[in-house]
Amino acid sequence: AVRVEFFGDEIDRISDINVVTGAPIRTLSHVALYPASHYVTTHEKMERAISEIRAECDARVKTFEQQGKLLEAQRALGRFGVEVRGAKADFDEPRSDDLAQIARAKVRQAAKTVPAPFFVQDAGFFIDALRGFPGTNVNFVLRTIGVEGIAKLMAGEQDRRCRFRQCVAYWDGEEIRLFSSETAGSVAQALRGGDRPEQKSPLWRLFIPDGAEKTTAEFTQEELNAFILRDGRALTELGRFLQEKERKE
């Protein structure tokens, strides 16, 4: 029998064990798992099933990204006693290379249906060798060519410097305040790590923060918690602003 032990959502150890006592016999580097049943079907049905599975996976990844952004905000602002709840709002995606301009436009749209106070976040991913591509169009690029496509565009490039930029726009009903941050790093030679609930972007599998040797997707939970706080400096600045504002009032 085989025992698979996890550390968070990562496999920590795979062991061949005694089926009677449960005692480990040896540690395995990998194990092959095969389906209990095999089925034969037509090529057309297989293609249709693959398309449905891919669509379901894309929807699941989108859910992970939304949960990751909310979790990040809750962790960052919770340190300042600020409660954060998610709110749904439909946006006509603004076209601009300026994150601040996009964030302002989203606030104006959200203000039509979401009561103040609230904030919106917008982020971009900028690769030096690609002249800042994909930049503020990162979501569109991920929907079209995916993170795999970005990895292919970087094949053979020597300059692998890149950065995440984030802009948080806070609306109190009268004024928009902006808070920005940047996290620098490099593009990995290949996709590494897997999707995880805290994930804000599939680019975590490609992004190696400065000072690290692993992609963000490969981080342990402790390393990831520290990274989320560093990467969310714009949210931290918002938290300090709200804390100071409450103190004055």
Side-chain angles (χ1 to χ4, degrees):
V2 174
R3 176 189 293 146
V4 181
E5 301 173 53
F6 288 84
F7 180 80
D9 60 353
E10 297 181 355
I11 295 177
D12 186 53
R13 183 183 296 109
I14 304 174
S15 304
D16 185 10
I17 65 171
N18 186 299
V19 294
V20 178
T21 65
I25 300 172
R26 56 179 176 148
T27 299
L28 305 174
S29 61
H30 65 278
V31 64
L33 300 177
Y34 301 96
S37 302
H38 296 265
Y39 300 91
V40 177
T41 187
T42 64
H43 179 74
E44 290 76 14
K45 287 185 178 180
M46 185 181 299
E47 288 296 321
R48 186 166 64 250
I50 291 173
S51 297
E52 292 174 356
I53 292 170
R54 183 175 290 114
E56 183 178 345
C57 288
D58 289 343
R60 188 60 177 158
V61 168
K62 185 175 181 180
T63 299
F64 280 158
E65 292 171 7
Q66 293 170 343
Q67 291 174 344
K69 291 175 182 177
L70 179 58
L71 179 61
E72 177 199 22
Q74 289 171 334
R75 285 177 173 173
L77 296 180
R79 296 182 299 144
F80 300 94
V82 178
E83 181 183 357
V84 178
R85 295 190 298 269
K88 292 185 178 180
D90 294 325
F91 295 113
D92 293 326
E93 193 68 30
R95 298 286 182 176
S96 175
D97 293 327
D98 186 346
L99 282 177
Q101 185 176 343
I102 294 174
R104 285 181 181 274
K106 287 185 174 181
V107 165
R108 296 188 185 100
Q109 292 183 54
K112 298 175 182 178
T113 56
V114 180
F118 66 83
F119 68 89
V120 301
Q121 300 180 72
D122 208 82
F125 186 61
F126 303 80
I127 302 175
D128 291 359
L130 302 181
R131 298 183 180 180
F133 179 87
T136 60
N137 297 311
V138 61
N139 290 332
F140 173 76
V141 171
L142 288 173
R143 286 195 303 268
T144 51
I145 67 173
V147 66
E148 296 85 0
I150 295 176
K152 289 180 181 179
L153 289 175
M154 287 297 292
E157 291 287 349
Q158 298 299 315
D159 181 5
R160 310 196 70 83
R161 295 295 299 164
C162 63
R163 63 211 76 250
F164 275 109
R165 289 177 183 153
Q166 182 183 52
C167 183
V168 174
Y170 172 75
W171 170 246
D172 60 7
E174 297 180 358
E175 181 183 4
I176 298 176
R177 291 182 177 270
L178 300 177
F179 305 88
S180 301
S181 65
E182 178 177 297
T183 303
S186 60
V187 178
Q189 294 289 342
L191 298 178
R192 288 156 41 186
D195 296 325
R196 51 198 305 170
E198 306 93 334
Q199 177 172 291
K200 292 195 301 178
S201 169
L203 289 164
W204 276 16
R205 298 179 62 197
L206 205 57
F207 181 67
I208 303 175
D210 281 350
E213 297 181 355
K214 298 184 288 186
T215 67
T216 312
E218 295 177 294
F219 280 0
T220 65
Q221 193 61 53
E222 183 179 356
E223 290 170 333
L224 185 61
N225 290 343
F227 170 77
I228 289 175
L229 289 178
R230 292 196 309 271
D231 186 50
R233 290 189 301 276
L235 287 168
T236 299
E237 291 302 314
L238 171 59
R240 288 173 180 156
F241 166 76
L242 294 175
Q243 189 178 58
E244 182 66 17
K245 181 179 179 182
E246 182 180 2
R247 188 174 62 82
K248 289 180 179 179
E249 293 175 350

